[in-house]
């Protein structure tokens, strides 16, 4: 299509009636309004955009006046950036005044200046495929930078020089990698070159904004492609430096080019094992995917060359878990997500003892208990970690894990593995031992939990007997006995 306004044709423009309704409302008030950016791009891709973004020549105050009485709710938290948010029926809507913005060389916040035309507004957007608009209510396409052609070619370009675009907002470099993952598009050579030249500039962007782009990238259709772009351009050195560090380390089986490419393969395989919305791990699951990407980041620090030419990475799981926690804290992830990813990294090697020599029932119980609510993710991470080209070895490991899952299922039916508790609770422990609440009760509780893990469920009488046997070996029992004798004498 030409760069000029063109009447949109075809079923891809079956826009929601609320879009046209809002367009007529602005036109009636004497203002321009256009659907813009991702929602327009997604129309051509046959996708439904979860949010609706509009741009207008109306000021924020004028926008509020237009939507008052029509929107179900509205908010002006983005007013200083020209954005008014509102809700209409099931739609989340943002209406933003035409604008231009740029970053100061040392600032994390954009300097905002309102613009006067739709074309100028489109020129400041991140990529040409996002610099298309539909004028409302006519649905005329405005595409001054060839975004539709780039979209059809599957190539990511910027409306102007990429150096200027990335200087205005360095987060756009992260977005390029995110779109490579989400949309399966390539990156124009000049865009890739600018990303490499300007990678250090990502440091001025807040950790929260970088984190949000990273999550979208990892949850994309081809996360390995996006990660590889970050690594090849040097952006990963500033965002997740533990990942490019993996390129230096040959993996212990010498079956892959290096641990880095092994990790990308594990990420791909883990994503392939996600379930539908009704399954135990609905995809995309960031915790599983990020754990898959980061599971071996402890290897560079633990690599040891053994006599005879072997290479070991002992305890890389524990070291890697600590590195993951540190990196995710720096990226301002919430504590629950940090704990979940770090725990999976810590546990990802646990299965290999089973594959080499089967486990007792107590070991199976510990595996389930240690994984807790992460068990289904751990199943998938462990299976994904097999990337050997030796089919016999891969089949042997798969068979061993099948057997472990079978035993978990059988024990779960018998013992409610997901919620293993000692056979006596704290109140019973205090009653039997005649002690008050305190550290001693915690020690007794842990002893009974170990007994439960080792021997399986016991009756109350059996648990009482084991507790009393343990009690007579504790220093406190002698003190308690002496106190009882003294109290009787008095």
């Amino acid at each position: 299509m030409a760069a000029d306004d063109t009447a949109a044709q075809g079923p891809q423009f079956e826009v929601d009636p609320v879009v046209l309704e809002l367009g007529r409302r602005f036109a009636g008030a004497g203002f321009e309004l256009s659907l813009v950016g991702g929602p327009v791009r997604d129309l051509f891709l046959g996708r439904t955009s979860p949010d609706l973004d509009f741009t207008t020549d109306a000021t924020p105050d004028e926008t509020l006046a237009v939507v008052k009485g029509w929107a179900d709710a509205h908010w002006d938290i983005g007013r200083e950036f020209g954005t008014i948010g509102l809700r209409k029926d099931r739609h989340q809507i943002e209406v933003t005044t035409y604008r231009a913005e740029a970053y100061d060389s040392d600032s994390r916040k954009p300097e905002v200046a309102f613009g006067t035309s739709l074309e100028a507004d489109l020129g400041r957007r991140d990529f040409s495929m996002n610099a298309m608009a539909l004028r409302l209510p006519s649905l005329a396409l405005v595409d001054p930078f060839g975004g539709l052609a780039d979209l059809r070619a599957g190539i990511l370009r910027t409306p102007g020089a990429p150096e200027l675009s990335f200087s205005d907002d360095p987060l756009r470099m992260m977005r390029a990698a995110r779109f490579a993952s989400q949309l399966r598009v390539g990156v124009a050579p000049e865009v890739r070159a600018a990303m490499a030249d300007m990678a250090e500039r990502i440091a001025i962007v807040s950790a929260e904004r970088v984190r949000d782009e990273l999550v979208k990238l990892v949850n994309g259709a081809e996360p390995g492609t996006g990660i590889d772009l970050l690594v090849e351009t040097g952006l990963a050195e500033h965002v997740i430096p533990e990942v490019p560090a993996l390129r230096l380390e040959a993996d212990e089986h010498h079956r892959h080019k290096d641990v880095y490419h092994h990790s990308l393969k594990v990420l791909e395989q883990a994503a392939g094992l996600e379930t539908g919305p009704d399954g135990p791990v609905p995809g995309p699951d960031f915790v599983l995917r990020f754990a898959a990407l980061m599971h071996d980041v402890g290897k560079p620090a633990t690599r040891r060359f053994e006599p005879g030419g072997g290479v070991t990475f002992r305890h890389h799981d524990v070291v890697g878990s600590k590195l993951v926690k540190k990196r995710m804290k720096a990226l301002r992830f919430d504590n629950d997500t940090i704990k979940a990813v770090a725990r999976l990294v810590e546990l990802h090697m646990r299965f290999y003892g089973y594959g080499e020599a089967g486990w007792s029932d107590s070991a199976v119980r510990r595996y389930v208990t240690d994984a807790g609510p992460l068990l289904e993710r751990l199943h998938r991470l462990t299976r994904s970690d097999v990337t050997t080209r030796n089919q016999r070895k891969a089949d042997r490991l798969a068979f061993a894990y099948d057997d472990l899952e079978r035993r978990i299922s059988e024990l779960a039916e018998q013992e409610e593995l997901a919620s293993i508790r000692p056979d006596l609770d704290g109140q019973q422990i205090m009653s039997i031992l005649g002690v008050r609440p305190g550290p001693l009760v915690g020690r007794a509780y842990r002893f009974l939990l170990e007994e439960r893990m080792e021997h399986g469920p016991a009756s109350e009488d059996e648990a009482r007997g084991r507790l009393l046997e343990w009690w007579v070996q504790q220093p406190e029992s002698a003190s308690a006995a002496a106190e009882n004798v003294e109290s009787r004498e008095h």
Side-chain angles (χ1 to χ4, degrees), residues 283-360:
D285 187 274
F286 176 78
V287 168
L288 171 61
R289 292 183 181 206
F290 201 55
L293 175 65
M294 304 290 280
H295 75 286
D296 274 347
V297 295
K299 282 189 171 180
T302 58
R303 182 176 63 165
R304 299 292 183 271
F305 295 101
E306 301 294 332
V311 182
T312 63
F313 303 94
R314 293 187 181 93
H315 308 302
H316 76 272
D317 43 357
V318 177
V319 172
S321 179
K322 293 178 180 178
L323 290 173
V324 164
K325 287 180 183 177
K326 182 177 180 181
R327 179 55 47 203
M328 294 183 74
K329 285 179 181 178
L331 289 169
R332 304 291 192 270
F333 279 93
D334 64 276
N335 288 334
D336 288 344
T337 303
I338 293 173
K339 289 178 181 178
V341 175
R343 186 63 166 159
L344 285 174
V345 171
E346 182 182 356
L347 294 174
H348 83 273
M349 292 294 294
R350 183 76 64 87
F351 158 73
Y352 289 95
Y354 185 93
E356 294 165 2
W359 287 350
S360 64

Side-chain angles (χ1 to χ4, degrees), residues 164-221:
L164 293 177
S165 180
F166 297 156
S167 181
D168 281 349
D169 186 352
L171 189 67
R172 290 171 175 174
M173 295 185 287
M174 288 289 298
R175 286 195 195 127
R178 187 243 291 187
F179 287 131
S181 169
Q182 285 184 330
L183 304 179
R184 296 187 171 102
V185 295
V187 177
E190 68 273 13
V191 172
R192 180 184 290 266
M195 291 170 68
D197 290 342
M198 303 177 67
E200 291 183 1
R201 191 157 168 74
I202 197 68
I204 74 166
V205 181
S206 71
E208 290 84 358
R209 295 183 73 211
V210 171
R211 173 203 64 207
D212 290 348
E213 288 297 329
L214 180 63
V215 170
K216 292 173 183 177
L217 185 163
V218 171
N219 283 347

Side-chain angles (χ1 to χ4, degrees), residues 16-35:
D16 194 282
V18 74
V19 173
L20 298 176
E21 186 179 343
L22 187 59
R24 287 190 291 267
R25 194 172 183 91
F26 269 78
F31 298 113
E32 298 178 2
L33 185 75
S34 297
L35 185 68

Side-chain angles (χ1 to χ4, degrees), residues 11-15 35-53 129-130 132 134 148 151 178-179 182-183:
Q12 68 268 35
F13 286 106
E14 293 178 1
V15 299
L35 185 68
V36 70
V40 178
R41 178 200 67 220
D42 287 346
L43 283 172
F44 285 103
L45 293 173
R47 307 188 334 171
T48 300
S49 185
D51 302 315
L52 296 175
D53 296 327
M129 63 178 61
N130 295 330
M132 298 185 289
L134 291 179
L148 184 56
L151 186 62
R178 187 243 291 187
F179 287 131
Q182 285 184 330
L183 304 179

Side-chain angles (χ1 to χ4, degrees), residues 366 369 420-424 443-455:
R366 292 178 193 280
T369 302
I420 284 183
R421 298 290 185 272
D423 297 297
L424 301 174
R443 282 168 42 208
Y445 187 92
R446 289 190 292 274
F447 163 75
L448 289 174
L449 181 59
E450 287 293 320
E451 289 291 300
R452 173 73 171 77
M453 291 284 192
E454 190 66 31
H455 303 293

Side-chain angles (χ1 to χ4, degrees), residues 33-107:
L33 185 75
S34 297
L35 185 68
V36 70
V40 178
R41 178 200 67 220
D42 287 346
L43 283 172
F44 285 103
L45 293 173
R47 307 188 334 171
T48 300
S49 185
D51 302 315
L52 296 175
D53 296 327
F54 298 85
T55 189
T56 180
D57 60 346
T59 65
D61 287 341
E62 290 168 336
T63 292
L64 283 171
V66 172
V67 303
K68 187 176 181 180
W70 177 81
D72 298 327
H74 61 78
W75 49 94
D76 60 0
I77 192 171
R79 181 197 289 256
E80 65 176 306
F81 300 108
T83 299
I84 299 298
L86 53 131
R87 187 179 71 251
K88 178 67 173 178
D89 300 330
R90 58 187 172 84
H91 299 286
Q92 295 290 331
I93 295 171
E94 286 191 350
V95 181
T96 302
T97 304
Y98 296 153
R99 67 189 191 190
E101 64 184 26
Y103 271 78
D104 180 84
S105 60
D106 299 314
S107 174

Side-chain angles (χ1 to χ4, degrees), residues 239-265:
V239 177
I240 41 174
E242 298 80 5
V243 173
L246 294 172
R247 292 183 298 177
L248 306 178
E249 312 303 327
D251 95 309
E252 67 269 38
H253 303 299
H254 302 285
R255 301 296 187 187
H256 309 282
K257 183 177 180 181
D258 53 29
V259 178
Y260 169 68
H261 287 93
H262 162 74
S263 297
L264 293 186
K265 184 66 175 177

Side-chain angles (χ1 to χ4, degrees), residues 464-484:
R464 178 189 179 94
R466 292 174 183 173
L467 177 63
L468 291 174
E469 288 178 7
W470 172 85
W471 174 237
V472 298
Q473 300 174 31
Q474 308 307 307
E476 293 89 343
S477 68
S479 299
E483 289 178 8
N484 287 336

